[in-house]
Amino acid sequence: MSTPLTIEEIHKLYAAGEATPSEIVRTTLEKIEADNERLNAYLTISKESASIAAAAMDNEIQSAIQTKPLAGIPVVVKDNMCTAGIRTTCGSRILGNYVPPYTATAVQKLQAAGAILVAKANLDEFAMGSSTENSAFGTVRNPVNTDYVPGGSSGGSAVAVAAGHVPVSLGSDTGGSIRQPASFCGIVGLKPTYGRVSRYGLVAYASSLDQIGPFATSVKDAARMLQVISGHDRHDSTSSNAQVPNFLSALTGNIKGLRVGVPPECFGEGLDAEVRTKVEAAIAKLKERGAEIVEVHLPHTKYVVAVYYLIATAEASSNLARFDGVRYGHRTEDPRSLSDLYRRTRDEGFGAEVKRRIMLGTFALSSGYYDAYYEKAQRVRAMLANDFAEAFKKCDVIATPTAPTPAFKIGEKSDDPLAMYLGDIYTVTMNLAGVPAVSVPCGASSAGLPIGIQLIGNHFDEARLLNAAYAFEQENSI
Ligand code: GLN
């Protein structure tokens, strides 16, 4: 039996009595195990706990599908979300054997909705990267073409869905890490509004930017996932009290009169010609379906990569200070003094990119440089938020490419951090401003590599954003 690709398809099988959760989970695990050597998408496969959870649902699945939106659905989550009793490595040697005592709220909510966690997905170490080549546990490969990267940092979670192992998974997005791999792998990836989803139990990279969100093969399934994981959490003071609307019922496909803003700043130099053509064609399809296309401006686009890499690394340098060999994970052998313990533990535990970022961030925060770098970056960040406020006076959603190019080859950019960082130009802005954005497949390059269009919404306007994405998906599949 091949694993069905959507939540609805699996629920139909359950409803018809044609499959049980145990059977679905067994097939899923078999596929995951068979593909993992080739794709390296998983760090831990929770075979036993998944099988137990599935068996416990076998008898009650008929009633469960009526009440639980994810009843019997196998899911994968990125390995920077804590899972009680299941190793959580963050793709780092420093947490190589870390088993958390608690589960992240978003994961707990999936499980409460009936989902079955089958595996923890590989990622760039501490979510720092755009290709999933920075994992201490090896590079992840793109299932569309294994010579290419899947994007990052949530590469493993994207591959889990793109390879057809599970219908949905969770990633985290600090500067594009859900949207860019979704684009590279040809699936849907959503970064919710900052505060929409609890970050409790998500190992922090840059706390003012981090947000958990879903990967799926369809906008509908992404909406289903968002419904489950959204909402205030008393364990995360930055999670919002904003009302959680019914995202599924917002998917009418009607976008008559919807104003779609197109910022020329996101179609300039450095944009691959094929990506431009496909994204422009996608915008034309939105128009055919009744949307009104308007020009808007994001005038600070040229600064966003610099601003992002100052703020993200500054926050990372502070967040990662806790990995000192005293409290969590790896500890060096026979330290000669306390500072020797810190130094050697961190030297042995962190990879090159994480070290680079800690140094960059520490530098940007250090006295004498703080005003010139960190503070200045914060000021530009405020201007970016203002750019969106202005743009959203003229439109309801904004359309841009998700990434300037399709997936690149493994190894192509790994020795050139700056080239890698520049690829984040269209995605980091939304994290800096806190607005939601979704990547939806809109075609492929002549080499057969997927291309995504990014749709951006105003704060807490995911319902309208997802409906725009849904309308495009409908139009595109005709
Ligand atoms: N590529 C960006 C970075 O390396 C974004 C990563 C992310 O969103 N976690 O920081």
Side-chain angles (χ1 to χ4, degrees), residues 150-211:
S153 64
S154 312
S157 302
V159 170
V161 171
H165 298 159
V166 286
V168 284
S169 65
L170 286 184
S172 67
D173 191 312
T174 304
S177 280
I178 295 174
R179 291 159 288 153
Q180 183 254 25
S183 165
F184 281 14
C185 292
I187 56 174
V188 176
L190 168 72
K191 181 199 91 73
T193 308
Y194 184 79
R196 178 64 94 186
V197 179
S198 167
R199 292 182 295 111
Y200 181 69
L202 169 69
V203 178
Y205 161 14
S207 313
S208 77
L209 305 164
D210 297 341
Q211 192 64 194

Side-chain angles (χ1 to χ4, degrees), residues 96-156:
N97 296 311
Y98 175 62
V99 179
Y102 71 110
T103 299
T105 300
V107 179
Q108 214 167 38
K109 285 189 167 191
L110 291 186
Q111 290 175 322
I116 299 165
L117 176 69
V118 290
K120 302 290 297 287
N122 204 350
L123 68 157
D124 283 306
E125 186 173 2
F126 286 103
M128 297 178 188
S130 314
S131 63
T132 321
E133 294 171 290
N134 293 339
S135 167
F137 306 104
T139 297
V140 178
R141 291 175 180 271
N142 192 323
V144 178
N145 182 332
T146 51
D147 292 337
Y148 288 79
V149 303
S153 64
S154 312

Side-chain angles (χ1 to χ4, degrees), residues 2-5 10 24-25 27-42 73-76 118-119 143 156-168 217:
S2 73
T3 322
L5 286 183
I10 295 179
I24 291 287
V25 164
T27 318
T28 305
L29 288 167
E30 279 166 10
K31 282 183 157 194
I32 283 177
E33 285 177 330
D35 280 348
N36 207 25
E37 205 172 312
R38 187 169 62 97
L39 301 173
N40 200 29
Y42 305 101
I73 302 297
V75 296
V76 162
V118 290
S157 302
V159 170
V161 171
H165 298 159
V166 286
V168 284
T217 57

Side-chain angles (χ1 to χ4, degrees), residues 255-262 283 286-295 394-397:
I255 53 165
K256 277 217 163 52
L258 182 86
R259 298 167 305 163
V260 176
V262 179
I283 293 168
L286 287 167
K287 190 173 177 189
E288 271 168 43
R289 214 174 162 97
E292 185 193 328
I293 310 299
V294 296
E295 184 171 310
K394 298 202 190 94
C395 67
D396 304 304
V397 301

